[in-house]
Amino acid sequence: MAEQARPAGGGTPRGSTAPEHVLVVFPGYHRPWATWISQRLDLHGVRATPHRWDPPREVPLEDSLGDLLLARGQVLLVLNDWFFELGPRPAGEWNDVLRGFVAAHADRFAAVNLTNRPLLPATAVLEPAGLWGVGEDEAEARLLGRLGIEPRRSAARRIPPGALARYPDTPPEVWGEVPRRNPRFTGRDDLLTALQERLMDAERGNAACTLLGMSGIGKTQIAAEYAHRFSPDYDAVWWVSSDDRNVQRDRFGELAVELGLPVGNEPGERIRAVRDALRRGDPHSRWLVVFDGWDDIRDVGVMLPHGPGHVLITSRNRLWGEHTDLLEVGGFARAESTGYLMRRAPHITAAEADEVAHEFGDVPLPLVQAAAWLGESGMEAPEYLRMVREGRLSTVDDPTGGEGMPNASLTSWSILINRLRRAQPQAVEILSFCASFAPGRIPLGLVRAYPQAELPEDLHWMVNDLPAWTRALDTLVNYSVLTRETRGPVSTDMGPHQESVHMHRLVHDIVSRLTDGTHRAAHRKAVRTLLAEADPGNPMDSRNWPRYAELLPHLEPSGALESRGPRIQNAVLNCLRYCYRSGEFKAGIRLAERIRLSWSGFMDPVAQPMLTLTSQEGNILRAAGRFREAHVLDSAALERLRAQTPRNEHAELIAHSAAASNLRYLGQYTEAEELQRRLLDESQRILGENEFMTLLARHNLGVSLRLLGRYQEAYDLDAENLARRETVLRARHANTLNSGSALAHDLRLLGRYRDALVRQEASVRLHVQVLGPQHPQTLSARAQLALCRRREGGAQQDIGTQMASLLEQIEQVHGREHHTTLTFINNYANYLREHGDLDHARELTAEAEAGFRSILGPAHPVATGMVANTGLVMQAAGDRSGALALLESALGGFTATLGPDHPWVLGCALNAAARNFNGRVGDAVELSRETLRRARRVLGDEHPLTLSCRIALAADLRGVREVEEAGKVEEDGLLALTRTLGAQHPHTLSARQRNRPYWDFEAYLG
């Protein structure tokens, strides 16, 4: 008989011959079923390959299923309701793919069903064979029938009975108090696989592995899941709770009864008999003993069994590394955390789940709490996180989900702390002291670094007794309560005074509950005193930023924000200054709000600390793009100062500086320049030429002049100020670096592109050295460098790649909607439009325009400039009529707010002179003549914008057949372009090709 033709792709349609190969696709949770199915298929002559499957959420489901079809033969999906929560993904997405992609490849897919709960409706396309609740023989028959496989009567005799995988619904012969399987167990597949490999590959007689990690990290859950998931590999599985030595001995000895050993009731006799039976492998050689929570290893020689089976231990004690293989248990992988949260709380987004996971360091126990709270209450994630951060929710409250983990963890910690209290009371004192810091990195070495600080009597030993200090810390580290960290290079030898430890939020919450709180007030006072002692005193110096970053989280937990001590208040304000200088704007805004809330209860609004707070808070609000809030805050402060007698001239200078900055950001350029000029005069009179405030006032006046289009004046002022700052502040000061970038900006706006590029390249190198490549000021300097390169006319393709990469980095630091990001989005869109990527340019320009309108309002000059750029995109796309309407609108708006001679107005007029495209050639010539006349007077004869106006006028003159004049104007323009920019500059080449020049708007807020 002729062989039946095989379908394309190697699959097996229903009713055809058996497949030669089956890919058994399963979530890790169902490994026992996948093992059993694969072995049964192999017995009947069909090659089977188990394939653990957990498709990433960010990959389209159709693509992930399509990847399965790359295997030859049949794809068998091992289903239950959990299968459709992989990712997780919405039920609608699964139904759509089942009805579409899977239905189209129905000959390649098959399924078995392991649950009696309803599956998704579209699962019907798979016609799954139901294996739930049936015996082994019936399950085998249904599996083979679904795949069209003829049973082989002699199949079972090919493998010895002991080598056959046990049917998953049949437990091992001995099964001792293993915790029930957690139906919500998430992820950990790689760790479980690694654990199995270590035990299987270990030398016979020494297959013992310890899961090491702090309480709440999920060790017990992993051990229980291992016992369930790999139960077909064992004939005896015995669970021994080991938190208490007596309970451990009794429980381990009870295994003697289950094994049928002839022993009495004496625990020691039973333990010896059990160990001997396990060593011999009689009556079972495939055994697993789990010791859960075995921290006290004194009895290891008496209790730890050896033999052909496996030992699994969960512990916090690192000393197990001397007796067993160690497998460290960390937090979830981020995808596991977010997947768990989104399954339990489907209303939260992936981004919100990521933020919650980050808050809790991906540790399972607090994530269980968070998921239960969010899922049961329906609370939005931002509100939940706010309550956690304010201390209104604990990470160890009983979750409403009823999984019981927090109570078990609290009991475990209580046992450990009581044990330490008896054996090592100084370790408990360190824990209690750490509870007055914030969770996370704790600079505990401050205790020894500043012995002059006032410490309570119970902590004096920390300064005076180094051996006791070392022993106590070693104990806590060995028990995974704390993790030892050090500052500085790894190769550097650190003394105790430089020591830092890491205490997880979960541990912090539990320790706060379980340690003696009677000394807490004294401990908090000691911590805030140490924080003040550790204040470097200069947040302007970037070398001090690591120390400020270390101190910042501990201000509120220590009570520093409520302190009335001047030294502590100054340390608090220095931390706020650090937030501004280092670009930690979100943290700075939160800190300023908390300080104001506290200080308002006992401090006069015009007291110096409160004025400093207002000044720094305004700086941070402006840097974060919250201009209107800054304006309201600073205006109120200025009014209070004006009403004060006697006058505080220095405070008024600072307040006026803030007011001028707010006016600039709000688009009131003339008013800002007038106020800034008066401020500079006052600063010079009161403080002197080279004082910090005077230098800042001079710099800000340069910003105002730049915004007003008075580029030469700005350059002259910035050049003077740079020289002064280099002398007074030195070259590596952040403000000096800022002056260098400002000067390069002036040069570029003056059309001196090559000079600007050379200066900004050097400036960026210094920014990276001093501040780092991702600091907000460095990113602004790098953005300025990208514009310099674009205008200078170098390798434009490379510039595009650089701009795309830089945009990603700016977005990571500031977020997509921040004004700095919007500014660069606009500039990148201009580049894309100029180089022909109109679709992307249109998308980015629209995004920037909408963003600026939202932040600044529609009447702001920057919002008007975005209208001009939208018009250029439309013009490039061929919509000349629509484009001209927008260009004319932008010209009118700019003229009304900035006056007729501002360079932005001249550039917009250059664009609007394209009236000749719509047949208004006379109007075009008139506008071009007037624009050229103004450009010569404002910018000079050889400024690039002036030269563009010449080339545009020549084109318009040709349109009215004034050929001779057009030729003369064009020739002069080309000669000037060649002389100033070079013969190969893109502007020169474009003018020679008689392409009409244009001006694109660079958003600039100052």
Side-chain angles (χ1 to χ4, degrees):
M1 180 180 290
E3 182 178 345
Q4 183 173 339
R6 294 178 63 189
T12 303
R14 298 172 180 87
S16 72
T17 58
E20 295 179 2
H21 175 257
V22 175
L23 186 72
V24 183
V25 178
F26 67 97
Y29 193 80
H30 284 313
R31 181 179 290 276
W33 278 101
T35 302
W36 179 84
I37 288 169
S38 298
Q39 191 177 81
R40 292 293 138 171
L41 294 177
D42 284 336
L43 287 173
H44 292 279
V46 178
R47 189 167 60 89
T49 304
H51 178 73
R52 177 167 59 84
W53 195 59
D54 188 5
R57 185 175 60 248
E58 61 271 15
V59 176
L61 184 55
E62 185 172 313
D63 291 350
S64 294
L65 286 166
D67 288 342
L68 299 178
L69 296 183
L70 297 175
R72 298 182 73 252
Q74 200 83 2
V75 175
L76 180 71
L77 305 181
V78 181
L79 302 181
N80 70 340
D81 47 336
W82 171 261
F83 189 93
F84 298 105
E85 292 190 13
L86 293 175
R89 298 173 186 273
E93 182 180 356
W94 270 106
N95 277 324
D96 290 345
V97 172
L98 289 168
R99 295 185 183 111
F101 179 81
V102 174
H105 298 83
D107 61 318
R108 298 291 309 281
F109 287 101
V112 294
N113 180 16
L114 305 180
T115 181
N116 67 335
R117 290 187 287 272
L119 300 179
L120 296 176
T123 311
V125 71
L126 295 165
E127 300 180 14
L131 305 188
W132 184 84
V134 301
E136 183 172 14
D137 292 342
E138 177 64 19
E140 183 175 350
R142 293 186 182 188
L143 168 68
L144 299 179
R146 176 62 186 87
L147 294 172
I149 298 171
E150 286 292 332
R152 294 186 179 183
R153 292 174 182 257
S154 61
R157 292 197 296 272
R158 294 171 51 202
I159 300 179
L164 284 170
R166 183 182 299 104
Y167 184 57
D169 277 357
T170 304
E173 292 184 35
V174 176
W175 182 258
E177 292 192 18
V178 178
R180 70 180 181 85
R181 199 172 192 187
N182 181 0
R184 294 194 176 106
F185 186 87
T186 291
R188 303 291 199 178
D189 287 329
D190 292 337
L191 191 149
L192 286 163
T193 300
L195 176 57
Q196 185 205 30
E197 290 174 351
R198 292 194 185 196
L199 291 174
M200 291 294 183
D201 295 344
E203 180 182 351
R204 180 181 172 87
N206 291 292
C209 188
T210 299
L211 295 175
L212 181 70
M214 71 177 188
S215 184
I217 203 69
K219 302 184 300 296
T220 299
Q221 290 286 309
I222 293 169
E225 176 61 21
Y226 179 88
H228 285 281
R229 184 172 297 192
F230 296 100
S231 61
D233 297 337
Y234 301 102
D235 298 317
V237 178
W238 196 251
W239 188 277
V240 181
S241 295
S242 303
D243 286 328
D244 181 272
R245 180 175 179 270
N246 293 327
V247 172
Q248 179 195 41
R249 289 171 58 82
D250 288 343
R251 180 65 189 145
F252 187 52
E254 288 172 8
L255 180 54
V257 178
E258 294 295 324
L259 296 178
L261 304 180
V263 294
N265 293 326
E266 201 276 316
E269 179 187 357
R270 286 186 170 191
I271 290 170
R272 286 189 293 273
V274 169
R275 293 187 72 206
D276 184 58
L278 295 178
R279 179 183 56 79
R280 291 182 287 107
D282 182 21
H284 301 292
S285 62
R286 302 196 312 170
W287 52 261
L288 170 68
V289 178
V290 181
F291 294 93
D292 183 41
W294 193 356
D295 292 331
D296 187 348
I297 64 172
R298 287 176 296 174
D299 291 339
V300 62
V302 177
M303 295 289 295
L304 187 66
H306 300 276
H310 299 159
V311 177
L312 178 56
I313 299 165
T314 72
S315 181
R316 294 172 292 204
N317 194 336
R318 191 169 295 277
L319 295 178
W320 272 112
E322 300 174 8
H323 307 280
T324 69
D325 193 5
L326 283 185
L327 184 58
E328 299 228 18
V329 180
F332 279 149
R334 181 54 54 85
E336 294 172 342
S337 300
T338 57
Y340 179 78
L341 288 164
M342 293 173 72
R343 278 188 286 273
R344 296 289 308 277
H347 66 285
I348 69 174
T349 66
E352 290 170 340
D354 186 81
E355 188 175 2
V356 174
H358 175 75
E359 180 72 21
F360 296 121
D362 297 292
V363 172
L365 178 55
L367 286 177
V368 168
Q369 164 81 15
W373 189 284
L374 290 165
E376 295 296 324
S377 69
M379 180 183 291
E380 295 299 324
E383 173 64 13
Y384 174 78
L385 286 173
R386 187 177 64 80
M387 293 176 70
V388 168
R389 288 163 181 161
E390 292 176 358
R392 293 160 58 193
L393 286 177
S394 169
T395 60
V396 293
D397 290 336
D398 290 330
T400 56
E403 291 178 16
M405 288 176 62
N407 275 339
S409 185
L410 280 171
T411 301
S412 174
W413 276 98
S414 181
I415 292 169
L416 173 64
I417 288 175
N418 286 333
R419 182 184 302 152
L420 290 174
R421 191 172 279 120
R422 292 191 300 270
Q424 181 64 276
Q426 289 168 324
V428 178
E429 289 176 5
I430 287 181
L431 279 183
S432 179
F433 185 54
C434 285
S436 295
F437 288 88
R441 185 182 177 99
I442 297 175
L444 197 56
L446 295 180
V447 176
R448 301 190 62 82
Y450 300 101
Q452 71 275 16
E454 296 180 12
L455 294 178
E457 186 175 349
D458 64 310
L459 300 183
H460 284 175
W461 67 269
M462 294 185 183
V463 177
N464 302 321
D465 192 344
L466 179 57
W469 165 275
T470 303
R471 282 195 305 272
L473 274 184
D474 286 345
T475 299
L476 294 171
V477 170
N478 284 338
Y479 277 99
S480 303
V481 179
L482 301 176
T483 303
R484 184 179 271 112
E485 297 181 348
T486 53
R487 293 192 304 274
V490 175
S491 60
T492 304
D493 291 331
M494 294 292 178
H497 63 288
Q498 295 169 300
E499 219 158 10
S500 288
V501 296
H502 186 277
M503 176 183 268
H504 191 273
R505 176 188 289 277
L506 167 70
V507 180
H508 188 276
D509 279 2
I510 292 175
V511 167
S512 297
R513 287 184 175 208
L514 299 179
T515 55
D516 186 2
T518 57
H519 299 296
R520 193 60 45 81
H523 287 181
R524 292 179 79 217
K525 180 180 179 182
V527 169
R528 57 181 178 262
T529 302
L530 287 169
L531 296 178
E533 292 283 352
D535 175 13
N538 184 10
M540 308 287 284
D541 189 338
S542 60
R543 292 171 296 184
N544 293 329
W545 291 352
R547 170 50 65 93
Y548 281 113
E550 192 172 47
L551 302 181
L552 181 64
H554 308 292
L555 297 178
E556 191 165 4
S558 69
L561 304 188
E562 291 83 30
S563 174
R564 303 192 182 204
R567 188 169 184 183
I568 295 174
Q569 289 177 354
N570 190 59
V572 167
L573 290 173
N574 277 342
C575 286
L576 189 61
R577 292 183 179 99
Y578 151 75
C579 290
Y580 171 58
R581 286 292 170 180
S582 66
E584 296 288 342
F585 303 139
K586 290 182 180 178
I589 290 171
R590 285 197 300 268
L591 177 60
E593 290 172 348
R594 303 299 294 176
I595 298 171
R596 185 171 299 279
L597 182 65
S598 175
W599 287 4
S600 295
F602 62 84
M603 191 179 294
D604 191 310
V606 292
Q608 188 55 53
M610 191 68 89
L611 292 175
T612 303
L613 167 64
T614 299
S615 173
Q616 295 303 317
E617 186 176 3
N619 288 338
I620 296 172
L621 286 170
R622 277 188 296 277
R626 294 163 63 168
F627 308 128
R628 294 185 180 89
E629 293 174 63
H631 178 64
V632 170
L633 177 74
D634 293 326
S635 296
L638 188 56
E639 287 301 315
R640 285 193 292 269
L641 283 169
R642 285 171 175 164
Q644 186 184 18
T645 52
R647 291 180 58 192
N648 185 336
E649 290 186 321
H650 188 269
E652 286 191 36
L653 286 178
I654 295 173
H656 277 110
S657 178
S661 296
N662 293 329
L663 289 173
R664 286 198 304 274
Y665 282 115
L666 294 173
Q668 300 177 41
Y669 303 148
T670 301
E671 296 87 340
E673 188 264 342
E674 292 172 353
L675 177 56
Q676 193 67 56
R677 195 172 291 279
R678 292 199 303 271
L679 179 61
L680 177 58
D681 291 341
E682 286 293 295
S683 295
Q684 292 175 149
R685 179 182 64 81
I686 297 171
L687 303 174
E689 291 281 350
N690 293 325
E691 287 300 312
F692 186 88
M693 272 295 299
T694 307
L695 296 172
L696 179 63
R698 190 177 290 110
H699 174 85
N700 287 340
L701 179 56
V703 175
S704 292
L705 293 170
R706 200 175 305 123
L707 285 166
L708 287 169
R710 292 153 62 178
Y711 303 143
Q712 187 61 51
E713 292 180 63
Y715 173 81
D716 294 339
L717 197 64
D718 286 334
E720 176 193 350
N721 208 46
L722 175 60
R724 291 180 182 274
R725 278 181 164 173
E726 286 176 336
T727 300
V728 176
L729 303 178
R730 303 305 182 192
R732 297 172 66 88
H733 192 281
N735 285 17
T736 307
L737 298 179
N738 209 16
S739 282
S741 281
L743 200 63
H745 195 173
D746 297 331
L747 287 168
R748 184 170 58 78
L749 294 176
L750 287 168
R752 295 167 58 181
Y753 297 149
R754 185 62 191 167
D755 292 342
L757 177 60
V758 170
R759 175 169 285 280
Q760 193 60 13
E761 284 177 337
S763 177
V764 166
R765 285 194 295 270
L766 203 52
H767 269 85
V768 171
Q769 291 174 14
V770 175
L771 303 177
Q774 304 300 315
H775 186 275
Q777 186 172 317
T778 305
L779 290 174
S780 294
R782 292 171 62 194
Q784 186 68 235
L785 178 59
L787 295 179
C788 289
R789 286 174 173 161
R790 180 188 173 211
R791 296 302 183 195
E792 195 271 339
Q796 294 294 300
Q797 190 61 41
D798 291 343
I799 294 170
T801 303
Q802 293 165 10
M803 293 183 81
S805 173
L806 184 54
L807 176 55
E808 290 181 3
Q809 296 172 57
I810 291 173
E811 182 181 355
Q812 288 172 1
V813 171
H814 291 293
R816 190 74 178 181
E817 297 177 353
H818 190 273
H819 66 89
T820 301
T821 311
L822 294 174
T823 296
F824 200 76
I825 287 173
N826 170 67
N827 293 333
Y828 183 39
N830 287 340
Y831 169 86
L832 293 171
R833 186 203 68 248
E834 186 174 66
H835 290 82
D837 191 350
L838 289 183
D839 289 340
H840 197 187
R842 180 185 295 108
E843 176 186 333
L844 292 182
T845 301
E847 179 183 358
E849 181 179 1
F852 278 124
R853 281 178 175 269
S854 175
I855 294 173
L856 306 173
H860 194 285
V862 169
T864 303
M866 292 308 306
V867 173
N869 283 348
T870 301
L872 289 179
V873 173
M874 295 175 65
Q875 182 173 283
D879 183 2
R880 292 181 172 178
S881 177
L884 185 59
L886 289 183
L887 295 172
E888 295 276 15
S889 171
L891 176 59
F894 268 152
T895 304
T897 55
L898 302 175
D901 292 336
H902 194 289
W904 292 356
V905 176
L906 300 176
C908 211
L910 171 68
N911 295 338
R915 295 166 178 173
N916 61 357
F917 289 159
N918 288 18
R920 297 164 55 194
V921 290
D923 289 348
V925 171
E926 181 180 347
L927 180 56
S928 288
R929 284 190 189 279
E930 178 62 17
T931 304
L932 177 57
R933 184 184 67 80
R934 292 182 181 279
R936 280 174 165 164
R937 179 164 54 81
V938 173
L939 299 172
D941 281 337
E942 297 195 339
H943 190 281
L945 180 55
T946 305
L947 299 179
S948 292
C949 291
R950 285 193 190 185
I951 300 301
L953 176 58
D956 293 335
L957 288 170
R958 283 195 298 273
V960 294
R961 306 190 190 285
E962 296 287 347
V963 179
E964 184 176 350
E965 184 182 0
K968 181 67 170 67
V969 170
E970 183 179 55
E971 182 181 2
D972 290 346
L974 288 172
L975 287 172
L977 280 170
T978 302
R979 184 169 58 252
T980 57
L981 300 181
Q984 299 303 311
H985 191 280
H987 288 358
T988 308
L989 295 175
S990 180
R992 289 193 183 281
Q993 295 166 3
R994 289 189 171 175
N995 295 320
R996 186 176 185 88
Y998 56 82
W999 170 86
D1000 49 35
F1001 174 69
E1002 292 178 3
Y1004 176 56
L1005 291 175

